[in-house]
Amino acid sequence: MATSSARNASWLRELGAAEVIDYTTKNFEDEVSNVDVVIDLIGNTHNDTGTRSLPTLRPGGLLVNAPTGSWPTVIEDAHRLGIRATTYKVSPDASTLTIITRLINSGDVLVHVDEVFDLADAAAAHRALESGHTRGKLVLNVADQI
């Protein structure tokens, strides 16, 4: 299950979502309950999405908050409701990046690039990201092909 606007619903189904809730017309917390795991990619940066996710979890369920720092009290808030929570932060290292490169090159992992910006347009890229309506990754082109 995933949430998105209607514009991205078919794309999320292509990625494997069995059900997509259009957050512009429905509150996801009114549509789902007793969920085992929520992977929260927004936190409480907009419309208390993270906090609204907590009641959708079953007792002992797990909320994974990926935008670490966006919701400083996530673990305490979850524990008060009998739910487990953790943050998710990645520290890249050479061996992990080698594995990711192999997976991308083999086609086992696909990366959707929404838009490529020249380095001089980094501020525009940041504004696009902050809009909350990007699909996939934004890329900064820092040098021409070597």
Side-chain angles (χ1 to χ4, degrees):
M1 180 176 308
T3 58
S4 76
S5 64
R7 174 180 88 92
N8 289 317
S10 62
W11 182 59
L12 289 176
R13 284 187 192 93
E14 289 173 23
L15 293 174
E19 183 179 343
V20 179
I21 298 170
D22 180 350
Y23 66 79
T24 66
T25 62
K26 296 179 181 177
N27 290 325
F28 65 86
E29 66 272 25
D30 296 335
E31 302 295 317
V32 297
S33 62
N34 211 33
V35 175
D36 292 321
V37 178
V38 168
I39 300 174
D40 172 21
L41 301 176
I42 297 173
N44 274 342
T45 60
H46 178 72
N47 203 16
D48 294 325
T49 301
T51 300
R52 291 174 33 231
S53 296
L54 292 174
T56 69
L57 287 153
R58 67 167 174 75
L62 174 65
L63 184 130
V64 179
N65 178 247
T68 302
S70 68
W71 182 7
T73 60
V74 60
I75 293 172
E76 295 83 8
D77 294 348
H79 285 182
R80 274 194 293 279
L81 296 174
I83 297 165
R84 298 173 298 139
T86 187
T87 57
Y88 182 80
K89 187 173 183 177
V90 176
S91 297
D93 62 74
S95 63
T96 302
L97 292 173
T98 299
I99 293 168
I100 293 170
T101 300
R102 180 179 47 76
L103 291 168
I104 291 171
N105 288 340
S106 71
D108 291 327
V109 170
L110 302 175
V111 178
H112 177 82
V113 175
D114 193 30
E115 194 169 353
V116 177
F117 294 85
D118 287 332
L119 184 58
D121 297 323
H126 202 276
R127 283 191 297 276
L129 182 64
E130 287 178 334
S131 78
H133 298 287
T134 58
R135 178 192 282 182
K137 298 297 180 184
L138 301 179
V139 175
L140 285 179
N141 183 19
V142 296
D144 292 328
Q145 297 270 337
I146 297 177

